[in-house]
Amino acid sequence: MSPVITVNTDRAPRPAGHYVQAKLTGQQLYISGQLPIRPDGASLPDDSFATQAGQAIDNMLAILQAAGGTPSDLVRVTAYIVDVTNWPDFNQVFAARLGEARPARTVVPVPELHYGYLVEVDAIATIEKHPSAVQEANPVNVTVKESERR
């Protein structure tokens, strides 16, 4: 049985509740819902939808990268957007951030999101394990700090 590995990075905001940024089990990475919050915890509730969407996607991609993945490793993304009229803007920002990667995707229009945000995204990816995570059969916490990426 594969160990369950917690993935955290300081390149995305810390969880504000009883959850983690992501869990890696086997080759499956499950990324928790990401709101448009900067890695330092600064919020963007008054910014445009496109700015919020970009930040939420950037957070998702930072967590994916911390686990050793790339956008091409994404197999499923779910986006929750306030107001279905934001769908074209979401699609444009999503395509710009993911480039040639085209995961399966669902966009769910919702009446509102926590703290008044306009978008939240979560994802599932299939990737090889982060090199430092392949250590033991017990759960491991992998924290990747920005300073370690340089």
Side-chain angles (χ1 to χ4, degrees):
M1 185 173 215
S2 298
V4 176
I5 300 161
T6 299
V7 178
N8 290 302
T9 178
D10 61 358
R11 294 183 58 229
R14 294 172 43 110
H18 191 73
Y19 62 96
V20 297
Q21 289 176 337
K23 289 285 189 175
L24 178 65
T25 181
Q27 292 183 321
Q28 296 297 304
L29 178 70
Y30 299 89
I31 301 173
S32 294
Q34 296 300 303
L35 291 166
I37 301 171
R38 292 188 180 105
D40 65 3
S43 63
L44 301 173
D46 297 327
D47 283 357
S48 70
F49 177 84
T51 299
Q52 287 193 32
Q55 184 65 59
I57 293 166
D58 288 348
N59 293 341
M60 175 192 70
L61 293 174
I63 295 164
L64 175 66
Q65 183 181 24
T70 67
S72 64
D73 297 317
L74 290 166
V75 293
R76 177 140 178 91
V77 174
T78 303
Y80 304 90
I81 64 170
V82 174
D83 193 347
V84 72
T85 62
N86 285 317
W87 194 317
D89 288 339
F90 179 80
N91 197 53
Q92 183 176 27
V93 173
F94 187 80
R97 294 296 203 279
L98 269 62
E100 295 298 314
R102 289 178 175 252
R105 186 185 83 184
T106 302
V107 177
V108 182
V110 297
E112 65 180 326
L113 288 167
H114 205 46
Y115 305 117
Y117 291 116
L118 301 175
V119 61
E120 180 173 3
V121 295
D122 64 31
I124 300 170
T126 300
I127 59 174
E128 295 296 321
K129 289 183 182 167
H130 188 281
S132 64
V134 190
Q135 299 170 0
E136 54 189 83
N138 296 325
V140 179
N141 182 34
V142 176
T143 301
V144 179
K145 295 188 174 160
E146 182 61 28
S147 59
E148 295 172 0
R149 293 234 163 253
R150 293 186 178 131

